[in-house]
């Protein structure tokens, strides 16, 4: 059965500061670089078969993908549809778990005063996933992106309530596997 993998980028400076990153381009910490390299080693050691890495153009995801690619030899290419959601007025604010922001994330048509709605985010990520599935090229992909993208991908493959969707997230450089339903 066909499948794909997803990982969130390594730790960023704003992760440490508990700030909302969104579409703001924030770099990896030293730990973030190490996490990415460790994931590359894990993929190599566990002989996880991946044909190509698709990554978000934001530097935190691009650098994570580069480390993985350098260690594993897996080719990589940028995929703009994996860019993190723009959280508008919340970008760069903290804490990420503030009640106002958590409530705003459950309103799927809110653009966060200048950002991107959850519906628009889901549309572009679902379109990417549909394209990969319909391509049916036999390749196994690793998508390297962001926590917001992780919740969209999770919702594509599994039913979720609005609250589950808003709260879903994965750790930096956690590797998740998803199967296409045939």
């Amino acid at each position: 059965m066909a499948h794909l993998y997803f990982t969130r980028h390594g730790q960023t400076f704003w992760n440490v500061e508990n700030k909302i990153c969104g579409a703001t381009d924030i770099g990896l910490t030293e730990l973030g670089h190490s996490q990415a390299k460790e994931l590359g080693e894990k993929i190599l050691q566990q002989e996880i078969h991946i044909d190509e890495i698709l990554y978000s153009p934001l530097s935190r995801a691009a650098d994570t993908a580069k480390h993985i690619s350098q260690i594993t030899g897996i080719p990589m290419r940028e995929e703009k549809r994996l860019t993190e959601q723009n959280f508008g007025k919340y970008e760069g604010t903290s804490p990420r778990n503030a009640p106002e922001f958590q409530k705003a994330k459950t309103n799927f048509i809110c653009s966060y005063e200048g950002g991107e709605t959850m519906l628009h985010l889901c549309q572009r990520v679902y379109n990417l996933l549909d394209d990969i599935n319909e391509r049916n090229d036999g390749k196994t992909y690793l998508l390297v992106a962001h926590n917001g993208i992780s919740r969209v991908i999770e919702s594509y493959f599994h039913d979720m309530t609005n609250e589950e969707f808003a709260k879903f997230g994965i750790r930096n450089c956690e590797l998740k596997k998803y199967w296409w339903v045939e």
Side-chain angles (χ1 to χ4, degrees):
M1 183 180 289
H3 59 275
L4 66 80
Y5 292 92
F6 177 84
T7 193
R8 178 183 177 198
H9 58 75
Q11 182 192 70
T12 69
F13 293 104
W14 279 10
N15 291 154
V16 173
E17 296 172 16
N18 199 28
K19 289 185 179 181
I20 299 162
C21 293
T24 305
D25 202 4
I26 302 301
L28 296 176
T29 63
E30 285 305 313
L31 176 59
H33 287 284
S34 295
Q35 290 170 327
K37 292 173 187 173
E38 287 170 14
L39 179 54
E41 291 294 339
K42 175 183 174 180
I43 291 168
L44 199 60
Q45 291 169 359
Q46 293 183 8
E47 297 180 2
I48 297 172
H49 176 78
I50 297 169
D51 295 297
E52 187 174 12
I53 299 169
L54 304 179
Y55 64 91
S56 159
L58 297 176
S59 64
R60 58 192 184 266
D63 289 345
T64 299
K66 287 174 191 165
H67 288 307
I68 295 167
S69 178
Q70 288 169 347
I71 291 168
T72 62
I74 301 168
M76 56 184 260
R77 77 181 143 94
E78 181 180 288
E79 173 51 68
K80 291 183 186 330
R81 291 177 286 184
L82 290 173
T83 303
E84 178 62 295
Q85 181 176 10
N86 183 329
F87 290 113
K89 71 177 186 176
Y90 295 107
E91 297 264 330
T93 64
S94 57
R96 295 181 331 174
N97 59 351
E100 179 186 347
F101 180 61
Q102 293 304 309
K103 183 171 175 17
K105 284 186 355 183
T106 64
N107 181 350
F108 294 168
I109 58 173
C110 175
S111 65
Y112 311 103
E113 296 178 25
E116 178 182 24
T117 71
M118 197 67 72
L119 290 177
H120 286 111
L121 171 70
C122 289
Q123 178 185 15
R124 71 176 157 87
V125 175
Y126 282 12
N127 287 347
L128 168 64
L129 294 170
D130 286 345
D131 289 349
I132 291 170
N133 189 28
E134 290 167 8
R135 192 175 304 139
N136 197 15
D137 57 10
K139 286 185 175 181
T140 299
Y141 293 91
L142 168 61
L143 309 181
V144 180
H146 311 277
N147 210 28
I149 304 300
S150 77
R151 80 179 54 92
V152 176
I153 292 172
E154 183 75 12
S155 75
Y156 183 91
F157 288 96
H158 305 287
D159 286 341
M160 303 171 84
T161 66
N162 290 353
E163 292 76 21
E164 289 169 335
F165 180 90
K167 290 180 180 177
F168 183 84
I170 67 172
R171 295 179 313 277
N172 296 105
C173 290
E174 178 180 345
L175 188 64
K176 289 196 60 92
K177 185 176 185 178
Y178 295 96
W179 286 266
W180 301 107
V181 177
E182 295 180 8

